[in-house]
Amino acid sequence: PPSNFATGIQHPFAIQSLILWSGQNGVGFDSSYRHKNENRAPVTFITTIDDNAHMIPGPVFVSGDATAETLTTFLVEVKQLVEKMADQLVNKSIQVDISLEKFKKRLLQEAGKIIKSKSGWFPQFFMIDKSRAERLAIQNVFPTSLIRLCQFHVMQAILRWDKEVGNSFEPQVRPRLSLERKHLLLRAVRHLQRCRFEDKWDKAAEEFVESVRRICIGSATSAETIIRYFEANWFIPEWKALWTDIGLPAGILWEKMLSTNNWTERAFKTFDQIFLASRANKSAYRLVLIIANQWFNYYREWRSEQPRFNREEFEKDNQAYEIWS
């Protein structure tokens, strides 16, 4: 168990939402360290999306650190909560949350699937950034789960020239590539990502290396520097299938949350903007109270039914939240 401060916060709406949507739409899993408390204790979100592709919050974990051990503990607890809730819903020992009443029939069907499954609660997939701690925790609790890396963050990490050191990342000396060469490199990466089968990988990687050599002709950065970076950080077995199409099951395409973790990233931004008023929070106690008393209820009470972002509705909801809070 965690040796430092750690607490999980949940709400029946959040648990029932995971039952309702995670089997079809998967879950996002991410941690944020910035502005949440003076000790930089990470806040970990589990999220899913509804039928309109809007983020719905799951349980939240506030801990002294975000290691494979602490995140495993969190996921075990969430899995148990979801399975217990599914059983209670089917046995009618707990009511459907009023905000999900219109989905009652479907919710009960999904709950029934969970209690009948030998695996219990098993989301369709997990979407993460390139975090070894998150990946190991998921594999500890859901050994056969589909894990995907956010495509946006793959490109962002490459442009930042991030490399792995232990369980974290630190900047590496960036290659001196012109903007045009960077664009060409990213195009080559995107082409490599489309490799669908393991037995095609060697050829695809060779084509990528050839592209890098052409891109670096006349550049201050050698092709070998870039090739070594990819071989050490992206071509290794633990990550290769998670960011290329090799890891996609047959018939599955990049769509909705299966392509990006931006829904979870946006959840952190919304939390900072609305609930922390774009200010750095100091107290961990205050942080937990905000999550428990306001975060879940905000989405429970004011969920948009429109697939596209509506600024007028967004501003109206925020005004209502300010009055309510």
Side-chain angles (χ1 to χ4, degrees), residues 107-157:
L107 175 60
L108 293 177
Q109 289 175 341
E110 294 299 323
K113 292 178 184 178
I114 290 173
I115 63 175
K116 291 178 182 178
S117 171
K118 293 181 180 180
S119 301
W121 178 55
F122 204 88
Q124 186 187 52
F125 60 84
F126 283 85
M127 172 57 64
I128 65 172
D129 295 344
K130 194 167 183 263
S131 164
R132 178 177 281 115
E134 291 173 5
R135 178 180 59 79
L136 290 175
I138 294 168
Q139 291 173 335
N140 286 340
V141 184
F142 303 90
T144 60
S145 63
L146 173 62
I147 305 174
R148 303 301 297 166
L149 292 188
C150 173
Q151 296 300 286
F152 171 79
H153 286 88
V154 168
M155 295 302 171
Q156 187 180 61

Side-chain angles (χ1 to χ4, degrees), residues 188 191-211 213 227 231 234-237 240 243-244 246:
H191 181 73
L192 179 61
Q193 280 185 297
R194 300 289 75 81
C195 179
R196 185 79 182 193
F197 304 103
E198 183 66 44
D199 60 1
K200 304 291 185 182
W201 172 257
D202 288 344
K203 181 179 180 181
E206 288 176 6
E207 292 176 353
F208 174 76
V209 168
E210 292 174 2
S211 296
R213 295 191 191 283
I227 293 167
E231 289 177 342
W234 298 97
F235 292 1
I236 53 179
K240 182 175 67 178
W243 68 278
T244 67
I246 292 173

Side-chain angles (χ1 to χ4, degrees), residues 4 16 36 38 51 53 70 94 154-155 163 224 273 280:
N4 298 318
Q16 292 184 18
K36 304 300 186 293
E38 61 184 352
D51 295 334
T70 58
I94 195 170
V154 168
M155 295 302 171
K163 68 175 182 178
E224 298 306 319
Q273 289 178 330

Side-chain angles (χ1 to χ4, degrees), residues 35-309:
H35 310 313
K36 304 300 186 293
N37 55 84
E38 61 184 352
N39 298 318
R40 284 181 60 84
V43 177
T44 301
F45 282 176
I46 287 181
T47 67
T48 189
I49 58 174
D50 63 16
D51 295 334
N52 293 313
H54 293 307
M55 191 284 299
I56 304 294
V60 179
F61 186 50
V62 182
S63 59
D65 53 17
T67 65
E69 180 185 10
T70 58
L71 294 179
T72 295
T73 300
F74 175 49
L75 287 179
V76 167
E77 292 293 331
V78 172
K79 190 174 191 299
Q80 292 174 350
L81 284 169
V82 172
E83 291 169 357
K84 180 179 179 180
M85 177 68 76
D87 183 71
Q88 290 174 325
L89 286 169
V90 171
N91 292 315
K92 300 181 180 180
S93 59
I94 195 170
Q95 293 184 340
V96 172
D97 189 273
I98 190 170
S99 67
L100 299 175
E101 186 66 31
K102 64 181 291 186
F103 304 105
K104 182 176 181 178
K105 181 179 179 180
R106 181 173 158 195
L107 175 60
L108 293 177
Q109 289 175 341
E110 294 299 323
K113 292 178 184 178
I114 290 173
I115 63 175
K116 291 178 182 178
S117 171
K118 293 181 180 180
S119 301
W121 178 55
F122 204 88
Q124 186 187 52
F125 60 84
F126 283 85
M127 172 57 64
I128 65 172
D129 295 344
K130 194 167 183 263
S131 164
R132 178 177 281 115
E134 291 173 5
R135 178 180 59 79
L136 290 175
I138 294 168
Q139 291 173 335
N140 286 340
V141 184
F142 303 90
T144 60
S145 63
L146 173 62
I147 305 174
R148 303 301 297 166
L149 292 188
C150 173
Q151 296 300 286
F152 171 79
H153 286 88
V154 168
M155 295 302 171
Q156 187 180 61
I158 290 171
L159 287 177
R160 289 175 175 173
W161 216 239
D162 288 339
K163 68 175 182 178
E164 292 183 64
V165 178
N167 290 325
S168 61
F169 297 99
E170 68 176 22
Q172 178 173 298
V173 177
R174 298 181 182 181
R176 298 177 60 184
L177 294 176
S178 66
L179 183 60
E180 181 181 1
R181 293 181 196 273
K182 287 181 180 178
H183 287 169
L184 291 173
L185 177 61
L186 291 183
R187 286 183 63 182
V189 171
R190 294 294 281 178
H191 181 73
L192 179 61
Q193 280 185 297
R194 300 289 75 81
C195 179
R196 185 79 182 193
F197 304 103
E198 183 66 44
D199 60 1
K200 304 291 185 182
W201 172 257
D202 288 344
K203 181 179 180 181
E206 288 176 6
E207 292 176 353
F208 174 76
V209 168
E210 292 174 2
S211 296
V212 171
R213 295 191 191 283
R214 289 194 298 270
I215 292 168
C216 290
I217 293 175
S219 170
T221 298
S222 71
E224 298 306 319
T225 297
I226 295 176
I227 293 167
R228 284 197 300 270
Y229 166 73
F230 276 91
E231 289 177 342
N233 294 280
W234 298 97
F235 292 1
I236 53 179
E238 66 175 310
W239 292 117
K240 182 175 67 178
L242 276 64
W243 68 278
T244 67
D245 288 0
I246 292 173
L248 280 178
I252 300 296
L253 302 175
W254 295 102
E255 57 183 4
K256 294 185 178 179
M257 194 181 272
L258 194 55
S259 65
T260 176
N261 207 19
N262 285 353
W263 275 275
T264 311
E265 293 285 341
R266 176 65 231 191
F268 282 118
K269 188 172 182 179
T270 298
F271 187 86
D272 291 347
Q273 289 178 330
I274 296 178
F275 298 90
L276 299 184
S278 298
R279 297 181 179 180
N281 179 59
K282 300 295 184 182
S283 169
Y285 179 69
R286 176 175 180 265
L287 174 69
V288 171
L289 288 179
I290 289 174
I291 296 170
N293 297 325
Q294 301 178 39
W295 172 246
F296 297 116
N297 279 315
Y298 179 83
Y299 289 92
R300 181 173 178 260
E301 298 294 339
W302 298 303
R303 289 196 304 111
S304 174
E305 300 296 332
Q306 301 183 39
R308 294 184 178 274
F309 175 77

